[in-house]
Amino acid sequence: MRIPLSWLREFAAVPAGASAEDVMADLVKVGFEEEAVHRPTDALQGPVVVGQVLSIVKEPQTNGKTINWCQVRVVPEGQQQTLTGEGIDPSGVQGIICGAHNFVEGDKVVVTLPGAVLPGDFRISARKTYGHLSAGMIASVRELGIGEDHDGILVLSRIGLDPEIGTDAMELLGLYDQAAEINVTPDRGYAFSIRGVAREYAHATGTPFTDPASKVQAPSDLSGGYGVKLNDDAPIYGKPGCDRFVARTVRGVDATKPTPPWMSSRLRLAGIRSISLPVDISNYVMLELGQPTHCYDLDTLSGDIVVRRAVAGEKITTLDAKERTLDAEDLLITDGSGPIGIAGVMGGAATEVSDSTTNVLVEAAHFDEVSIARSRRRHKLPSEASKRFERGVDWHIAPVAAQRVVDLLVELAGGTAVAEGTDVGTAPDAVAVELPAAFAAERIGIDFTEDQILTCLRDLGAVVEKTGTGYAVTAPSWRTDLETKEDLSEEIARLVGYDNIPATLPVAPPGRGLTRVQQQRRRLVQALADAGLTEVLAYPFVSKAANDTFGTPEAGAERKALKLANPISEEHGYLRTSILPGLIEVAKRNHSRGFRDLALFESGLVFLPGDTLGTASIPPLGAKPSDEVLDGLYDGVPDQPLYLAAVLTGHDSPAAPAHAPRAWDWADALDIARLTGDVLGVEIVISQGQHQAFHPGRAAQLTLRNGEVLGYAGELHPKLLAAHDMPARSVALELNADALFEAAADVIVARHISTYPVATQDVALVVAAEVAADEVLAALREGAGELLEDVALFDVYAGKGIEEGKKSLAFNLRFRADDRTLTADEASAARDSAVAAAHERFGAVQR
């Protein structure tokens, strides 16, 4: 909301020297946010004065144009020029070249003298042009920054002005005024008016407030006016779309009369362009009182006005000249010809006020917030009127606003008010809110006195009665947002001052902190980041095909997935059952932008629906459901375990002199999987695996020692990479982090470090090619006994010297005792025992 200060001063005691910044600083105290300052003098600087054209000499040019060589008087005849500066003639008559032709000798115009600066940093100076020294410029509306008209210069008589020559034109046109712009929250629609902001300024500063509605003498009873019927046969939530309609008639209006500069300048500063006098008056009253009004050309109406719901498919051409197809929920203003306006949103073109209009019907109505908001969104038709109606308008202000429009049409447009009028509708019941005496203090944390509570509530305009337990508060008609005792408490705190609320930091209770799972998750994520991977977040919305590919190892296997009722995109209409699709999309997007070497990871929830999904009914509002109902709700919520996934593409490091980067491969994915287990103290068993999203021969299955499958790691399937335009040999892993957390010990105990030396033994075993190396390693570990500290595979060989269908696996065995130095015989015996176990289980033969 933009608030011109000159307008605000009419109803609030704003100091004469206060700037827009000062006003905003005061309004911040009562909960408004600063937005901007609008000050014409920031872009327009004088001298800008009223001049009178003394003579015009038309001079045709070789380029086909005709220019006017004008002599313009800028000081009254007989007086000397008091302004000084290069190019300003002491005689008070300036020679000026002008290309416009919409003025004649004797017209009074706006002259920008040398030294003036126009919007766009256009500086005026005396300069030689078309063979003359032009010392100034006769300005148009656009050049002054007060409108868009650039067809000709501004002739003051055409806007109803006849000022003295030499008058400061910036003051004449209201260009020294300024506006403060504040952000109005949706619950404070009353502040979309000078009336509302002036009241809030008075609250903030403790200064007097004059209600602009009190200056309007509206009749207490209206009858005999234009026929109006309220006929809402399909109210939304049982609330009628229109519960008050006031109509007044003004005859003999001259719609061509200019809008006075004081009104147009205020409208301009408030962000509304001047259109025509009747429309400007309607907008002016809306900004002043907060009640939108509408003017109809009375002679274009036929029959009574009926406010009703639209018939589905009905059409209307609105004031923006667009034909709109209406919905059955739209609230309409109609007459005998059909729709003449979308109620509270925009009027119809058929009854629009034009230059030929002489008789005007003024409407001031009260509409339901929900009806207006839905129509505005449905038709994508925001307007100043809808912005106010959908936030709530004072039911009692309608006849005052209508009378204000009538008064201005009589005063400025020469009309004659018709005494009869129309006022139909039923006032809403006043509801008293019970406010316990101590509630505000308990809620806010300040011991409010009774005087503070009564003063704040009565300053709001509320009616307050003391009761045995506190106060019965009836909110004013313009504060439709005050419905509960919490609302009233917030208002008391706001008016007493937010700065008076003590700031007390809560003390953290001892013995609490992160839960075990939270600690594990942080430790896991930090370890991956420390290892050089970059954490990203992807959308949890994927396609059905992505869930089918990544959500289950076997191709064609059934995968249940949750379909979104209202997806952002039909292409991504399901909740993910795997993190990899979104992670691959992130990698693909980075590749398309030139980032080729990536190591990305994400930890997030996946959604795995069970047999039961949702509930047959939703519990009613206003009461806590029973434990049985809550259990039913929880049973219908899908399982949402935390998964961890990573994608690696390109190389592990940038190229550099004397350094050749290494391409990521499947072994790196396995190393990351092992890292996740090491961080949590969980042993992850890696074995040959099969998953439709991974390469058939370069994929590993990740399991716990008890056989529970955690996930998969390895090289992604070549066809999948090609389909996503990803580099060949990209690798990935995904595992169930919740299962890891559950398997982890509460406390990770460090292994004992022996001070005795280690004894190492290498052994190469020949086994069948299909035997997994991890299974051979497990057999060696079991057979070696308690002296074995560690065993690791360091070579796999198949080829010359090895029988076809066989392979050689080379292992390094480390032996150590806690209480002595092992002899070579002890180490060899342990090795032989390990080889014997491998031979017994897999027929392994030592090379």
Short mmCIF file of all heavy atoms in Angstrom, two decimals, residues 344-391:
data_model
loop_
_atom_site.label_atom_id
_atom_site.label_comp_id
_atom_site.label_asym_id
_atom_site.label_seq_id
_atom_site.Cartn_x
_atom_site.Cartn_y
_atom_site.Cartn_z
N GLY A 344 -16.99 -7.76 -7.36
CA GLY A 344 -15.80 -7.54 -6.55
C GLY A 344 -14.49 -7.69 -7.27
O GLY A 344 -13.44 -7.51 -6.68
N VAL A 345 -14.54 -8.01 -8.57
CA VAL A 345 -13.31 -8.24 -9.33
C VAL A 345 -13.15 -7.21 -10.44
O VAL A 345 -12.20 -6.43 -10.47
CB VAL A 345 -13.27 -9.67 -9.90
CG1 VAL A 345 -11.99 -9.89 -10.71
CG2 VAL A 345 -13.37 -10.69 -8.77
N MET A 346 -14.08 -7.19 -11.39
CA MET A 346 -14.01 -6.24 -12.50
C MET A 346 -15.38 -6.08 -13.13
O MET A 346 -16.14 -7.05 -13.26
CB MET A 346 -12.99 -6.70 -13.55
CG MET A 346 -12.74 -5.66 -14.65
SD MET A 346 -11.38 -6.10 -15.76
CE MET A 346 -9.97 -5.72 -14.72
N GLY A 347 -15.66 -4.84 -13.54
CA GLY A 347 -16.93 -4.57 -14.19
C GLY A 347 -16.94 -5.01 -15.64
O GLY A 347 -15.91 -5.39 -16.21
N GLY A 348 -18.12 -4.92 -16.24
CA GLY A 348 -18.28 -5.32 -17.64
C GLY A 348 -18.17 -4.14 -18.57
O GLY A 348 -18.48 -2.99 -18.20
N ALA A 349 -17.74 -4.41 -19.81
CA ALA A 349 -17.55 -3.34 -20.79
C ALA A 349 -18.87 -2.74 -21.24
O ALA A 349 -18.93 -1.57 -21.63
CB ALA A 349 -16.77 -3.88 -21.99
N ALA A 350 -19.96 -3.50 -21.19
CA ALA A 350 -21.24 -3.03 -21.73
C ALA A 350 -21.80 -1.84 -20.96
O ALA A 350 -22.52 -1.02 -21.53
CB ALA A 350 -22.25 -4.18 -21.72
N THR A 351 -21.49 -1.73 -19.67
CA THR A 351 -22.05 -0.64 -18.86
C THR A 351 -20.96 0.32 -18.40
O THR A 351 -21.14 1.07 -17.43
CB THR A 351 -22.77 -1.22 -17.63
OG1 THR A 351 -21.85 -2.05 -16.89
CG2 THR A 351 -23.97 -2.06 -18.05
N GLU A 352 -19.85 0.34 -19.10
CA GLU A 352 -18.71 1.17 -18.73
C GLU A 352 -19.03 2.66 -18.89
O GLU A 352 -19.71 3.07 -19.84
CB GLU A 352 -17.52 0.80 -19.61
CG GLU A 352 -16.27 1.60 -19.35
CD GLU A 352 -15.15 1.20 -20.30
OE1 GLU A 352 -15.40 0.41 -21.24
OE2 GLU A 352 -14.01 1.68 -20.10
N VAL A 353 -18.54 3.45 -17.96
CA VAL A 353 -18.69 4.91 -18.05
C VAL A 353 -17.76 5.42 -19.15
O VAL A 353 -16.58 5.07 -19.20
CB VAL A 353 -18.34 5.57 -16.71
CG1 VAL A 353 -18.28 7.08 -16.86
CG2 VAL A 353 -19.36 5.18 -15.65
N SER A 354 -18.30 6.26 -20.04
CA SER A 354 -17.53 6.81 -21.15
C SER A 354 -17.68 8.33 -21.17
O SER A 354 -18.38 8.91 -20.32
CB SER A 354 -18.00 6.22 -22.48
OG SER A 354 -19.34 6.61 -22.74
N ASP A 355 -17.05 8.97 -22.17
CA ASP A 355 -17.14 10.43 -22.27
C ASP A 355 -18.58 10.89 -22.51
O ASP A 355 -18.93 12.04 -22.19
CB ASP A 355 -16.24 10.93 -23.40
CG ASP A 355 -14.77 10.82 -23.04
OD1 ASP A 355 -14.47 10.58 -21.86
OD2 ASP A 355 -13.92 10.98 -23.95
N SER A 356 -19.41 10.02 -23.09
CA SER A 356 -20.79 10.40 -23.39
C SER A 356 -21.74 10.16 -22.21
O SER A 356 -22.93 10.46 -22.29
CB SER A 356 -21.29 9.63 -24.61
OG SER A 356 -21.27 8.23 -24.36
N THR A 357 -21.23 9.60 -21.13
CA THR A 357 -22.07 9.29 -19.97
C THR A 357 -22.55 10.58 -19.30
O THR A 357 -21.77 11.50 -19.07
CB THR A 357 -21.29 8.44 -18.95
OG1 THR A 357 -20.92 7.21 -19.54
CG2 THR A 357 -22.12 8.18 -17.70
N THR A 358 -23.83 10.62 -18.99
CA THR A 358 -24.38 11.78 -18.27
C THR A 358 -25.04 11.37 -16.95
O THR A 358 -25.13 12.20 -16.04
CB THR A 358 -25.42 12.50 -19.14
OG1 THR A 358 -26.43 11.57 -19.54
CG2 THR A 358 -24.77 13.10 -20.37
N ASN A 359 -25.49 10.15 -16.87
CA ASN A 359 -26.15 9.67 -15.65
C ASN A 359 -25.38 8.45 -15.12
O ASN A 359 -25.09 7.52 -15.87
CB ASN A 359 -27.61 9.29 -15.93
CG ASN A 359 -28.41 10.46 -16.46
OD1 ASN A 359 -28.33 11.57 -15.91
ND2 ASN A 359 -29.15 10.25 -17.54
N VAL A 360 -25.07 8.48 -13.83
CA VAL A 360 -24.21 7.45 -13.23
C VAL A 360 -24.93 6.77 -12.08
O VAL A 360 -25.58 7.43 -11.26
CB VAL A 360 -22.90 8.08 -12.72
CG1 VAL A 360 -22.07 7.05 -11.94
CG2 VAL A 360 -22.10 8.66 -13.87
N LEU A 361 -24.82 5.43 -12.06
CA LEU A 361 -25.29 4.66 -10.90
C LEU A 361 -24.04 4.21 -10.13
O LEU A 361 -23.15 3.56 -10.69
CB LEU A 361 -26.10 3.44 -11.34
CG LEU A 361 -26.67 2.60 -10.18
CD1 LEU A 361 -27.80 3.35 -9.51
CD2 LEU A 361 -27.14 1.23 -10.67
N VAL A 362 -23.99 4.58 -8.87
CA VAL A 362 -22.83 4.26 -8.02
C VAL A 362 -23.15 3.03 -7.19
O VAL A 362 -24.19 2.97 -6.52
CB VAL A 362 -22.49 5.44 -7.10
CG1 VAL A 362 -21.30 5.10 -6.20
CG2 VAL A 362 -22.21 6.69 -7.91
N GLU A 363 -22.25 2.05 -7.23
CA GLU A 363 -22.40 0.82 -6.44
C GLU A 363 -21.35 0.79 -5.33
O GLU A 363 -20.18 1.07 -5.57
CB GLU A 363 -22.22 -0.41 -7.34
CG GLU A 363 -22.00 -1.72 -6.57
CD GLU A 363 -21.19 -2.74 -7.35
OE1 GLU A 363 -21.55 -2.99 -8.52
OE2 GLU A 363 -20.20 -3.27 -6.81
N ALA A 364 -21.79 0.45 -4.11
CA ALA A 364 -20.88 0.15 -3.00
C ALA A 364 -21.46 -1.08 -2.30
O ALA A 364 -22.50 -0.98 -1.64
CB ALA A 364 -20.76 1.32 -2.04
N ALA A 365 -20.80 -2.22 -2.48
CA ALA A 365 -21.35 -3.47 -1.98
C ALA A 365 -20.36 -4.16 -1.06
O ALA A 365 -19.18 -3.81 -0.99
CB ALA A 365 -21.71 -4.39 -3.16
N HIS A 366 -20.88 -5.16 -0.35
CA HIS A 366 -20.04 -5.98 0.53
C HIS A 366 -20.14 -7.43 0.05
O HIS A 366 -21.23 -8.00 -0.01
CB HIS A 366 -20.48 -5.88 1.99
CG HIS A 366 -19.56 -6.60 2.93
ND1 HIS A 366 -19.75 -7.90 3.30
CD2 HIS A 366 -18.42 -6.18 3.55
CE1 HIS A 366 -18.78 -8.27 4.13
NE2 HIS A 366 -17.96 -7.24 4.30
N PHE A 367 -18.98 -8.01 -0.31
CA PHE A 367 -18.95 -9.36 -0.88
C PHE A 367 -18.19 -10.31 0.03
O PHE A 367 -17.31 -9.90 0.81
CB PHE A 367 -18.28 -9.34 -2.27
CG PHE A 367 -19.00 -8.47 -3.27
CD1 PHE A 367 -18.39 -7.32 -3.76
CD2 PHE A 367 -20.26 -8.79 -3.71
CE1 PHE A 367 -19.03 -6.51 -4.68
CE2 PHE A 367 -20.92 -7.99 -4.63
CZ PHE A 367 -20.31 -6.84 -5.12
N ASP A 368 -18.52 -11.59 -0.12
CA ASP A 368 -17.85 -12.65 0.65
C ASP A 368 -16.41 -12.82 0.18
O ASP A 368 -16.14 -12.88 -1.03
CB ASP A 368 -18.61 -13.97 0.48
CG ASP A 368 -17.86 -15.15 1.04
OD1 ASP A 368 -17.34 -15.05 2.17
OD2 ASP A 368 -17.78 -16.18 0.35
N GLU A 369 -15.48 -12.89 1.12
CA GLU A 369 -14.06 -12.97 0.80
C GLU A 369 -13.72 -14.18 -0.06
O GLU A 369 -12.94 -14.08 -1.03
CB GLU A 369 -13.22 -13.01 2.08
CG GLU A 369 -13.31 -11.76 2.94
CD GLU A 369 -14.42 -11.83 3.97
OE1 GLU A 369 -15.38 -12.60 3.74
OE2 GLU A 369 -14.33 -11.14 5.00
N VAL A 370 -14.29 -15.33 0.27
CA VAL A 370 -13.94 -16.57 -0.44
C VAL A 370 -14.41 -16.50 -1.89
O VAL A 370 -13.69 -16.88 -2.82
CB VAL A 370 -14.54 -17.79 0.28
CG1 VAL A 370 -14.29 -19.07 -0.53
CG2 VAL A 370 -13.94 -17.93 1.67
N SER A 371 -15.62 -16.02 -2.11
CA SER A 371 -16.15 -15.92 -3.48
C SER A 371 -15.26 -15.06 -4.36
O SER A 371 -14.92 -15.41 -5.49
CB SER A 371 -17.57 -15.34 -3.47
OG SER A 371 -18.49 -16.27 -2.95
N ILE A 372 -14.86 -13.91 -3.81
CA ILE A 372 -14.05 -12.97 -4.60
C ILE A 372 -12.67 -13.58 -4.86
O ILE A 372 -12.14 -13.50 -5.99
CB ILE A 372 -13.92 -11.62 -3.87
CG1 ILE A 372 -15.30 -11.05 -3.58
CG2 ILE A 372 -13.08 -10.66 -4.71
CD1 ILE A 372 -16.24 -10.98 -4.75
N ALA A 373 -12.06 -14.16 -3.85
CA ALA A 373 -10.71 -14.73 -4.01
C ALA A 373 -10.71 -15.84 -5.06
O ALA A 373 -9.80 -15.93 -5.88
CB ALA A 373 -10.20 -15.25 -2.68
N ARG A 374 -11.73 -16.67 -5.05
CA ARG A 374 -11.78 -17.77 -6.02
C ARG A 374 -11.96 -17.25 -7.45
O ARG A 374 -11.33 -17.75 -8.38
CB ARG A 374 -12.88 -18.76 -5.65
CG ARG A 374 -12.58 -19.57 -4.40
CD ARG A 374 -13.60 -20.67 -4.17
NE ARG A 374 -13.27 -21.47 -3.01
CZ ARG A 374 -13.99 -22.51 -2.60
NH1 ARG A 374 -15.07 -22.87 -3.27
NH2 ARG A 374 -13.63 -23.19 -1.53
N SER A 375 -12.83 -16.27 -7.61
CA SER A 375 -13.03 -15.71 -8.95
C SER A 375 -11.77 -15.04 -9.45
O SER A 375 -11.39 -15.16 -10.62
CB SER A 375 -14.19 -14.72 -8.95
OG SER A 375 -15.42 -15.38 -8.78
N ARG A 376 -11.11 -14.30 -8.57
CA ARG A 376 -9.88 -13.63 -8.97
C ARG A 376 -8.82 -14.62 -9.42
O ARG A 376 -8.17 -14.43 -10.46
CB ARG A 376 -9.37 -12.79 -7.80
CG ARG A 376 -8.22 -11.85 -8.15
CD ARG A 376 -6.86 -12.43 -7.83
NE ARG A 376 -6.72 -12.78 -6.44
CZ ARG A 376 -5.72 -13.52 -5.97
NH1 ARG A 376 -4.82 -14.01 -6.80
NH2 ARG A 376 -5.65 -13.84 -4.69
N ARG A 377 -8.65 -15.70 -8.68
CA ARG A 377 -7.65 -16.71 -9.07
C ARG A 377 -8.09 -17.47 -10.32
O ARG A 377 -7.27 -17.77 -11.18
CB ARG A 377 -7.41 -17.68 -7.91
CG ARG A 377 -6.62 -17.08 -6.76
CD ARG A 377 -6.12 -18.17 -5.83
NE ARG A 377 -7.20 -18.84 -5.15
CZ ARG A 377 -7.68 -18.47 -3.96
NH1 ARG A 377 -7.17 -17.43 -3.34
NH2 ARG A 377 -8.68 -19.15 -3.39
N ARG A 378 -9.37 -17.78 -10.39
CA ARG A 378 -9.87 -18.57 -11.52
C ARG A 378 -9.66 -17.84 -12.84
O ARG A 378 -9.26 -18.45 -13.84
CB ARG A 378 -11.37 -18.85 -11.31
CG ARG A 378 -11.99 -19.74 -12.37
CD ARG A 378 -13.46 -19.97 -12.06
NE ARG A 378 -13.65 -20.64 -10.78
CZ ARG A 378 -14.25 -20.09 -9.72
NH1 ARG A 378 -14.71 -18.85 -9.78
NH2 ARG A 378 -14.39 -20.76 -8.60
N HIS A 379 -9.89 -16.55 -12.85
CA HIS A 379 -9.78 -15.78 -14.09
C HIS A 379 -8.44 -15.06 -14.22
O HIS A 379 -8.24 -14.32 -15.19
CB HIS A 379 -10.93 -14.76 -14.17
CG HIS A 379 -12.29 -15.39 -14.24
ND1 HIS A 379 -12.73 -16.07 -15.35
CD2 HIS A 379 -13.28 -15.47 -13.31
CE1 HIS A 379 -13.96 -16.53 -15.12
NE2 HIS A 379 -14.32 -16.19 -13.90
N LYS A 380 -7.55 -15.29 -13.24
CA LYS A 380 -6.23 -14.62 -13.27
C LYS A 380 -6.41 -13.12 -13.50
O LYS A 380 -5.83 -12.54 -14.40
CB LYS A 380 -5.33 -15.25 -14.34
CG LYS A 380 -5.01 -16.71 -14.10
CD LYS A 380 -4.10 -17.25 -15.19
CE LYS A 380 -3.70 -18.70 -14.92
NZ LYS A 380 -4.84 -19.62 -14.87
N LEU A 381 -7.26 -12.53 -12.66
CA LEU A 381 -7.69 -11.16 -12.88
C LEU A 381 -7.54 -10.35 -11.59
O LEU A 381 -8.51 -9.97 -10.94
CB LEU A 381 -9.15 -11.15 -13.34
CG LEU A 381 -9.73 -9.84 -13.89
CD1 LEU A 381 -8.93 -9.35 -15.07
CD2 LEU A 381 -11.19 -10.04 -14.27
N PRO A 382 -6.30 -10.07 -11.19
CA PRO A 382 -6.12 -9.27 -9.98
C PRO A 382 -6.55 -7.83 -10.22
O PRO A 382 -6.35 -7.27 -11.29
CB PRO A 382 -4.62 -9.37 -9.73
CG PRO A 382 -4.01 -9.62 -11.08
CD PRO A 382 -5.03 -10.45 -11.83
N SER A 383 -7.15 -7.23 -9.22
CA SER A 383 -7.56 -5.84 -9.31
C SER A 383 -7.46 -5.23 -7.92
O SER A 383 -7.38 -5.93 -6.91
CB SER A 383 -8.99 -5.72 -9.84
OG SER A 383 -9.91 -6.29 -8.92
N GLU A 384 -7.44 -3.90 -7.89
CA GLU A 384 -7.39 -3.22 -6.60
C GLU A 384 -8.63 -3.54 -5.76
O GLU A 384 -8.56 -3.65 -4.54
CB GLU A 384 -7.27 -1.70 -6.81
CG GLU A 384 -5.93 -1.25 -7.39
CD GLU A 384 -4.78 -1.49 -6.42
OE1 GLU A 384 -5.00 -1.41 -5.20
OE2 GLU A 384 -3.66 -1.77 -6.89
N ALA A 385 -9.76 -3.70 -6.43
CA ALA A 385 -10.99 -4.03 -5.71
C ALA A 385 -10.91 -5.43 -5.10
O ALA A 385 -11.20 -5.63 -3.92
CB ALA A 385 -12.19 -3.92 -6.64
N SER A 386 -10.53 -6.41 -5.91
CA SER A 386 -10.48 -7.79 -5.40
C SER A 386 -9.47 -7.92 -4.28
O SER A 386 -9.66 -8.70 -3.34
CB SER A 386 -10.16 -8.76 -6.54
OG SER A 386 -8.85 -8.54 -7.04
N LYS A 387 -8.36 -7.17 -4.37
CA LYS A 387 -7.34 -7.24 -3.33
C LYS A 387 -7.93 -6.86 -1.97
O LYS A 387 -7.55 -7.43 -0.95
CB LYS A 387 -6.18 -6.30 -3.68
CG LYS A 387 -5.06 -6.29 -2.69
CD LYS A 387 -3.80 -5.67 -3.28
CE LYS A 387 -3.98 -4.22 -3.63
NZ LYS A 387 -2.72 -3.61 -4.14
N ARG A 388 -8.88 -5.94 -1.96
CA ARG A 388 -9.49 -5.52 -0.71
C ARG A 388 -10.64 -6.44 -0.30
O ARG A 388 -10.75 -6.82 0.87
CB ARG A 388 -9.98 -4.08 -0.84
CG ARG A 388 -8.80 -3.09 -0.86
CD ARG A 388 -9.14 -1.74 -1.44
NE ARG A 388 -8.02 -0.82 -1.33
CZ ARG A 388 -6.95 -0.82 -2.14
NH1 ARG A 388 -6.89 -1.68 -3.15
NH2 ARG A 388 -5.97 0.04 -1.94
N PHE A 389 -11.48 -6.81 -1.25
CA PHE A 389 -12.62 -7.66 -0.91
C PHE A 389 -12.19 -9.02 -0.37
O PHE A 389 -12.80 -9.54 0.56
CB PHE A 389 -13.53 -7.85 -2.13
CG PHE A 389 -14.47 -6.71 -2.37
CD1 PHE A 389 -14.53 -6.09 -3.61
CD2 PHE A 389 -15.31 -6.25 -1.37
CE1 PHE A 389 -15.40 -5.03 -3.85
CE2 PHE A 389 -16.19 -5.19 -1.60
CZ PHE A 389 -16.22 -4.58 -2.83
N GLU A 390 -11.16 -9.61 -0.95
CA GLU A 390 -10.78 -10.95 -0.51
C GLU A 390 -10.08 -10.93 0.85
O GLU A 390 -9.85 -11.97 1.45
CB GLU A 390 -9.91 -11.64 -1.54
CG GLU A 390 -8.54 -11.03 -1.76
CD GLU A 390 -7.80 -11.70 -2.90
OE1 GLU A 390 -8.40 -12.00 -3.95
OE2 GLU A 390 -6.60 -11.94 -2.73
N ARG A 391 -9.72 -9.74 1.34
CA ARG A 391 -9.12 -9.63 2.68
C ARG A 391 -10.13 -9.13 3.72
O ARG A 391 -9.82 -9.11 4.91
CB ARG A 391 -7.91 -8.68 2.63
CG ARG A 391 -6.72 -9.28 1.92
CD ARG A 391 -5.69 -8.23 1.57
NE ARG A 391 -4.45 -8.81 1.08
CZ ARG A 391 -4.25 -9.25 -0.16
NH1 ARG A 391 -5.25 -9.18 -1.04
NH2 ARG A 391 -3.10 -9.76 -0.52
#
